[in-house]
Amino acid sequence: MPSMTERPTIVLLRGWMRDGRHWESFPDELSQQLDLISSNARPKQRPRIICADLPGNGSRYSERTPDSIGGMMSAIRSELKGTELVLVGISMGGMLAAEWVQRYPEDVVGFACINSSMRPHAYPWERLKLNNWLRILARLATSLVRKSGETAAVRELERFIMQLTLRPEFRTEDRLEQWVKWTEANPVTPGNALRQLRAAAAYKDPLVAPLAVPCLVLRSLGDALVDPVCSERLATAWQQTLQTHPSAGHDLAVEDPAWLAEALASWYNSHWPLKKTAD
């Protein structure tokens, strides 16, 4: 349980081929919303927000991605060495959060799951729409024969990911160029990308209601990568609250960081810090 004077640490967990930088402005938005909603909190009560990278992505790009969600989660956990965590996972990051809650419940005091999906709550074509399976495999096959540092190939891949995760109005050239720079600096190898994809496809929900910690499930109705029904079924299976963005695409944190930050801050502040009960 969290202490009466300190708030837990919020850990942000990303998905396939993404890293902490791809949260873009969201961590700052979340910090601001936490301050607004909890304006009377003393500075030491404000939570620390950490953007964690899994092996193979971002700051850990030179590492081999483990073959399972459990292995990925353990690798991230070994870098944090902390307890009283609130996990916020988007897409595959939601699977990492669920696995963490199942295996190390003593670490976690709550988690949020955004646009995620898990067996057995959805069909394979709902978890990743069929045409996207074919496009992803074709794109990865192409990247195998490209030079790893070839800017044109990186740009094609990042534009493809942008098409999967963002609605057209958010696919700006400035954002694309920033993503290309990040990937050139910290490239995800095709092997690591495939291991992440296979692990996510095989992952089965380990949690059974009632959950031991508070949970919030969020989804975007404009998600073109994962069917929004997947989040609805997770919320039903876990007997948890479901919040819905009426129009955003898969990457809700990029498309509407203010909406997501407000939803998470309201949920967070409804639980932490705990108020001391009367004796």
Side-chain angles (χ1 to χ4, degrees):
M1 298 294 289
S3 69
M4 298 303 166
T5 58
E6 300 292 339
R7 290 192 172 204
T9 296
I10 298 176
V11 181
L12 304 182
L13 300 167
R14 267 283 175 180
W16 180 64
M17 294 187 68
R18 304 291 84 179
D19 62 63
R21 297 167 298 183
H22 291 92
W23 289 102
E24 296 192 1
S25 67
F26 173 71
D28 289 338
E29 290 276 0
L30 180 57
S31 181
Q32 291 170 19
Q33 285 293 331
L34 288 166
D35 286 347
L36 285 173
I37 294 175
S38 189
S39 58
N40 293 325
R42 290 172 294 174
K44 70 175 183 177
Q45 292 180 303
R46 292 174 186 145
R48 183 170 59 138
I49 299 174
I50 296 174
C51 297
D53 289 347
L54 64 88
N57 295 359
S59 61
R60 305 180 70 177
Y61 77 99
S62 62
E63 301 178 44
R64 186 183 189 275
T65 300
D67 293 316
S68 67
I69 295 296
M72 296 179 209
M73 180 277 301
S74 295
I76 295 172
R77 181 177 182 266
S78 68
E79 293 288 307
L80 291 177
K81 304 184 189 310
T83 57
E84 299 184 359
L85 306 176
V86 174
L87 308 175
V88 177
I90 188 168
S91 196
M92 189 176 74
M95 305 177 204
L96 296 168
E99 184 73 9
W100 204 322
V101 170
Q102 171 64 20
R103 292 178 58 180
Y104 300 102
E106 66 276 14
D107 290 359
V108 185
V109 293
F111 76 108
C113 190
I114 308 161
N115 288 334
S116 194
S117 66
M118 303 174 203
R119 299 170 48 227
H121 307 305
Y123 296 109
W125 56 87
E126 293 172 330
R127 298 191 61 204
L128 184 60
K129 295 177 181 179
L130 182 59
N131 63 321
N132 289 329
W133 276 109
L134 301 176
R135 293 168 67 199
I136 287 170
L137 292 174
R139 185 65 62 180
L140 289 176
T142 300
S143 68
L144 285 170
V145 298
R146 297 276 192 160
K147 296 178 181 178
S148 61
E150 188 177 340
T151 299
V154 172
R155 184 173 286 106
E156 288 176 16
L157 179 60
E158 290 302 316
R159 192 184 300 277
F160 169 67
I161 294 174
M162 196 170 276
Q163 291 169 352
L164 292 176
T165 59
L166 297 177
R167 290 179 295 162
E169 60 266 38
F170 295 95
R171 302 173 197 163
T172 66
E173 287 302 311
D174 286 347
R175 174 169 283 127
L176 177 61
E177 290 308 310
Q178 182 62 75
W179 287 14
V180 169
K181 289 178 182 178
W182 288 340
T183 299
E184 286 187 318
N186 306 106
V188 180
T189 67
N192 279 339
L194 283 170
R195 276 185 285 274
Q196 292 172 29
L197 192 62
R198 285 198 304 262
Y203 189 64
K204 184 178 180 180
D205 176 19
L207 302 177
V208 178
L211 302 186
V213 298
C215 172
L216 178 64
V217 182
L218 304 106
R219 65 174 178 173
S220 307
L221 289 187
D223 192 339
L225 183 64
V226 176
D227 195 310
V229 75
C230 297
S231 291
E232 180 181 346
R233 291 178 185 155
L234 277 178
T236 298
W238 294 342
Q239 299 175 14
Q240 299 298 311
T241 299
L242 174 68
Q243 290 199 25
T244 300
H245 191 290
S247 59
H250 184 70
D251 202 333
L252 176 56
V254 169
E255 289 202 11
D256 201 341
W259 184 93
L260 180 58
E262 184 176 1
L264 287 170
S266 296
W267 169 74
Y268 182 95
N269 279 286
S270 71
H271 294 286
W272 302 284
L274 295 178
K275 293 182 174 63
K276 188 172 182 179
T277 56
D279 294 334

